[in-house]
Amino acid sequence: MFKELSANPYIDLCGSRLMENEIDTAWIRMSARVVFEENLTVKKMIMEKSSIVRQLYKNDANHPLFKVFYLSEISGSLNNLGHVKGLEENKAFSKPVVFKF
């Protein structure tokens, strides 16, 4: 993944929680640019908080495979099934919420 993101640092993420009544299901869709961070203080903080990270990288914040990144140029939307093309529009649902950071 590091190699792919280094070559093309733009990602799209989508997530939802399926509700019992599927029509109530909402989801978030987000696009962003990945920025790799070599800040040792940040790496140490992550390592302190995560036992899995400590185990994976032998408790070494300088481990050559331990990479940290943050997201910039973030944009996206919060959506629901009330406004999906192909389904009858449901006026009871709010319109999609678009955001940009």
Side-chain angles (χ1 to χ4, degrees):
M1 180 190 260
F2 173 75
K3 188 175 180 179
E4 289 179 24
L5 288 174
S6 293
N8 182 8
Y10 293 92
I11 62 169
D12 289 305
L13 304 168
C14 186
S16 69
R17 180 177 178 202
L18 184 61
M19 304 302 286
E20 188 173 326
N21 177 1
E22 289 179 349
I23 200 73
D24 292 334
T25 298
W27 69 91
I28 185 170
R29 181 176 301 253
M30 184 171 68
S31 298
R33 182 172 67 92
V34 170
V35 179
F36 286 97
E37 176 65 69
E38 290 298 328
N39 185 320
L40 190 58
T41 301
V42 171
K43 287 182 165 187
K44 286 179 179 178
M45 287 172 48
I46 292 169
M47 196 153 287
E48 285 175 17
K49 292 182 181 274
S50 174
S51 62
I52 292 172
V53 171
R54 282 193 303 275
Q55 185 177 353
L56 282 170
Y57 301 109
K58 313 291 189 243
N59 202 25
D60 179 5
N62 287 309
H63 193 289
L65 297 179
F66 182 33
K67 304 296 181 188
V68 175
F69 65 86
Y70 64 89
L71 302 177
S72 69
E73 301 172 27
I74 301 168
S75 63
S77 60
L78 298 169
N79 306 278
N80 59 55
L81 293 174
H83 306 286
V84 172
K85 187 176 181 177
L87 292 178
E88 183 177 327
E89 184 160 342
N90 186 331
K91 301 291 184 194
F93 287 112
S94 61
K95 295 289 184 190
V97 176
V98 176
F99 58 88
K100 190 170 192 161
F101 298 101

